[in-house]
Amino acid sequence: MERTLVLLKPDAVQRGLIGTIINRLELRGLRLVGAKFVAVDQTLAERHYAIHKGKPFYEGLIQYITSSPVMAMVWEGPQAIAAVRQTMGATRPIEASPGSVRHDFGLEVGRNLTHASDGPETADEEIALWFQPDEIVSWSRDTDRWIFEG
Ligand code: DAT
Ligand code: MG
């Protein structure tokens, strides 16, 4: 079972899309194990996007993520990292597949609604950055055996 960090960025929150996007992850079969509503400060933003420091879009990215609250979550499931990135769609909304969140609700790369971890190492680091260990809830759903094969 894999875990991944998901952020619903300020545009998703402001546009009232929290429920819609959570619904897509729930319907996919992924299991929610952590969630909180966060006003992102400069320090957290810079740590989260440290890998992009120095890129031309970095300053705009920090401004965007700190501009309004975000919904931070941890989701788990088999191949959760790939599954969530697929549900979110390609970074640029105009390149995202129809049916993905970024395609269905977005147009611009700087307003692409969500963040999702891109690999096992970054997922571990990002979950540790955004959540204390006791904020992650390990649980099983009654429907798990109809969604998870193992
Ligand atoms: P993703 O969010 O799909 O993992 P990323 O990690 O490459 O994409 O970039 C992080 C965010 O930075 C992305 O969601 C939007 C912004 N971004 C990336 N490339 C950009 C670009 N060329 N111009 C403007 N913003 C960009
Ligand atoms: Mg990324």
Side-chain angles (χ1 to χ4, degrees):
M1 209 64 79
E2 227 171 45
R3 287 179 174 172
T4 186
L5 180 84
V6 175
L7 303 178
L8 308 185
K9 294 180 189 174
D11 48 341
V13 173
Q14 289 282 350
R15 293 174 58 194
L17 292 170
I18 294 175
T20 299
I21 300 170
I22 287 178
N23 187 235
R24 289 184 174 212
L25 296 171
E26 283 187 308
L27 291 176
R28 187 91 197 256
L30 293 154
R31 188 166 60 192
L32 183 65
V33 295
K36 58 177 159 184
F37 196 56
V38 184
V40 182
D41 64 21
Q42 189 75 16
T43 306
L44 178 57
E46 287 177 2
R47 290 177 70 187
H48 178 74
Y49 280 130
I51 195 163
H52 296 298
K53 191 166 179 152
K55 294 182 186 169
F57 57 84
Y58 175 76
E59 300 298 338
L61 196 53
I62 298 294
Q63 266 180 14
Y64 168 39
I65 199 83
T66 56
S67 63
S68 185
V70 307
M71 185 76 196
M73 297 175 284
V74 180
W75 289 83
E76 74 179 358
Q79 298 186 78
I81 294 166
V84 170
R85 284 185 68 87
Q86 183 184 45
T87 290
M88 298 314 180
T91 306
R92 295 175 180 281
I94 59 158
E95 291 167 7
S97 299
S100 67
V101 167
R102 284 167 167 175
H103 170 280
D104 290 356
F105 304 110
L107 290 168
E108 299 238 62
V109 68
R111 296 289 183 272
N112 65 359
L113 299 150
T114 64
H115 168 85
S117 307
D118 63 7
E121 268 182 33
T122 43
D124 288 347
E125 287 169 15
E126 290 174 358
I127 291 166
L129 176 62
W130 287 82
F131 286 85
Q132 298 297 322
D134 67 0
E135 293 174 325
I136 306 290
V137 181
S138 295
W139 63 298
S140 58
R141 287 176 303 196
D142 291 353
T143 51
D144 280 344
R145 67 196 179 102
W146 304 110
I147 298 166
F148 304 148
E149 188 180 355

mmCIF file of all heavy atoms in Angstrom, residues 49 51-52 85 91 115-118 126, ligand 2:
data_model
loop_
_atom_site.group_PDB
_atom_site.id
_atom_site.type_symbol
_atom_site.label_atom_id
_atom_site.label_comp_id
_atom_site.label_asym_id
_atom_site.label_seq_id
_atom_site.Cartn_x
_atom_site.Cartn_y
_atom_site.Cartn_z
ATOM 1 N N TYR A 49 8.337 23.584 -2.046
ATOM 2 C CA TYR A 49 8.751 23.782 -3.438
ATOM 3 C C TYR A 49 10.259 24.016 -3.581
ATOM 4 O O TYR A 49 10.704 24.584 -4.587
ATOM 5 C CB TYR A 49 7.968 24.952 -4.047
ATOM 6 C CG TYR A 49 6.562 24.557 -4.495
ATOM 7 C CD1 TYR A 49 5.446 25.298 -4.111
ATOM 8 C CD2 TYR A 49 6.353 23.454 -5.329
ATOM 9 C CE1 TYR A 49 4.156 24.944 -4.532
ATOM 10 C CE2 TYR A 49 5.078 23.097 -5.743
ATOM 11 C CZ TYR A 49 3.990 23.844 -5.352
ATOM 12 O OH TYR A 49 2.733 23.484 -5.782
ATOM 13 N N ILE A 51 12.609 22.188 -4.493
ATOM 14 C CA ILE A 51 13.161 21.613 -5.731
ATOM 15 C C ILE A 51 13.039 22.570 -6.928
ATOM 16 O O ILE A 51 13.782 22.473 -7.905
ATOM 17 C CB ILE A 51 12.492 20.253 -6.039
ATOM 18 C CG1 ILE A 51 13.292 19.477 -7.085
ATOM 19 C CG2 ILE A 51 11.044 20.421 -6.480
ATOM 20 C CD1 ILE A 51 12.944 18.008 -7.149
ATOM 21 N N HIS A 52 12.092 23.497 -6.853
ATOM 22 C CA HIS A 52 11.871 24.429 -7.967
ATOM 23 C C HIS A 52 12.566 25.779 -7.779
ATOM 24 O O HIS A 52 12.436 26.665 -8.620
ATOM 25 C CB HIS A 52 10.372 24.647 -8.182
ATOM 26 C CG HIS A 52 9.650 23.396 -8.589
ATOM 27 N ND1 HIS A 52 9.926 22.726 -9.758
ATOM 28 C CD2 HIS A 52 8.682 22.669 -7.973
ATOM 29 C CE1 HIS A 52 9.157 21.642 -9.847
ATOM 30 N NE2 HIS A 52 8.390 21.584 -8.762
ATOM 31 N N ARG A 85 -1.784 10.999 -9.462
ATOM 32 C CA ARG A 85 -1.286 11.904 -10.515
ATOM 33 C C ARG A 85 -2.109 11.747 -11.796
ATOM 34 O O ARG A 85 -2.349 12.710 -12.520
ATOM 35 C CB ARG A 85 0.215 11.686 -10.759
ATOM 36 C CG ARG A 85 1.046 12.315 -9.627
ATOM 37 C CD ARG A 85 2.528 12.236 -9.876
ATOM 38 N NE ARG A 85 3.012 13.057 -10.972
ATOM 39 C CZ ARG A 85 3.377 14.332 -10.861
ATOM 40 N NH1 ARG A 85 3.244 14.979 -9.720
ATOM 41 N NH2 ARG A 85 3.856 14.984 -11.898
ATOM 42 N N THR A 91 0.643 18.420 -15.681
ATOM 43 C CA THR A 91 0.910 19.710 -15.028
ATOM 44 C C THR A 91 0.211 20.868 -15.740
ATOM 45 O O THR A 91 -0.384 21.748 -15.096
ATOM 46 C CB THR A 91 2.439 19.961 -15.011
ATOM 47 O OG1 THR A 91 3.067 18.829 -14.400
ATOM 48 C CG2 THR A 91 2.780 21.225 -14.245
ATOM 49 N N HIS A 115 -1.737 19.635 -6.094
ATOM 50 C CA HIS A 115 -0.398 19.075 -6.048
ATOM 51 C C HIS A 115 -0.531 17.604 -5.672
ATOM 52 O O HIS A 115 -1.375 17.256 -4.839
ATOM 53 C CB HIS A 115 0.461 19.774 -4.993
ATOM 54 C CG HIS A 115 1.744 19.048 -4.715
ATOM 55 N ND1 HIS A 115 2.872 19.229 -5.486
ATOM 56 C CD2 HIS A 115 2.047 18.085 -3.804
ATOM 57 C CE1 HIS A 115 3.831 18.412 -5.037
ATOM 58 N NE2 HIS A 115 3.358 17.711 -4.026
ATOM 59 N N ALA A 116 0.289 16.762 -6.255
ATOM 60 C CA ALA A 116 0.347 15.360 -5.833
ATOM 61 C C ALA A 116 1.795 14.896 -5.920
ATOM 62 O O ALA A 116 2.492 15.211 -6.886
ATOM 63 C CB ALA A 116 -0.545 14.488 -6.713
ATOM 64 N N SER A 117 2.249 14.156 -4.921
ATOM 65 C CA SER A 117 3.637 13.670 -4.880
ATOM 66 C C SER A 117 3.955 12.881 -6.151
ATOM 67 O O SER A 117 3.092 12.208 -6.706
ATOM 68 C CB SER A 117 3.860 12.762 -3.668
ATOM 69 O OG SER A 117 3.465 13.400 -2.484
ATOM 70 N N ASP A 118 5.247 12.979 -6.578
ATOM 71 C CA ASP A 118 5.603 12.363 -7.865
ATOM 72 C C ASP A 118 6.416 11.075 -7.747
ATOM 73 O O ASP A 118 6.810 10.501 -8.758
ATOM 74 C CB ASP A 118 6.317 13.383 -8.761
ATOM 75 C CG ASP A 118 7.640 13.851 -8.174
ATOM 76 O OD1 ASP A 118 8.082 13.309 -7.138
ATOM 77 O OD2 ASP A 118 8.243 14.766 -8.772
ATOM 78 N N GLU A 126 7.246 14.678 1.657
ATOM 79 C CA GLU A 126 6.150 15.660 1.686
ATOM 80 C C GLU A 126 5.132 15.343 2.783
ATOM 81 O O GLU A 126 4.631 16.249 3.444
ATOM 82 C CB GLU A 126 5.468 15.714 0.316
ATOM 83 C CG GLU A 126 6.363 16.351 -0.745
ATOM 84 C CD GLU A 126 5.788 16.289 -2.159
ATOM 85 O OE1 GLU A 126 4.697 15.707 -2.348
ATOM 86 O OE2 GLU A 126 6.442 16.817 -3.064
HETATM 87 MG MG MG B 2 5.639 18.075 -8.777
#
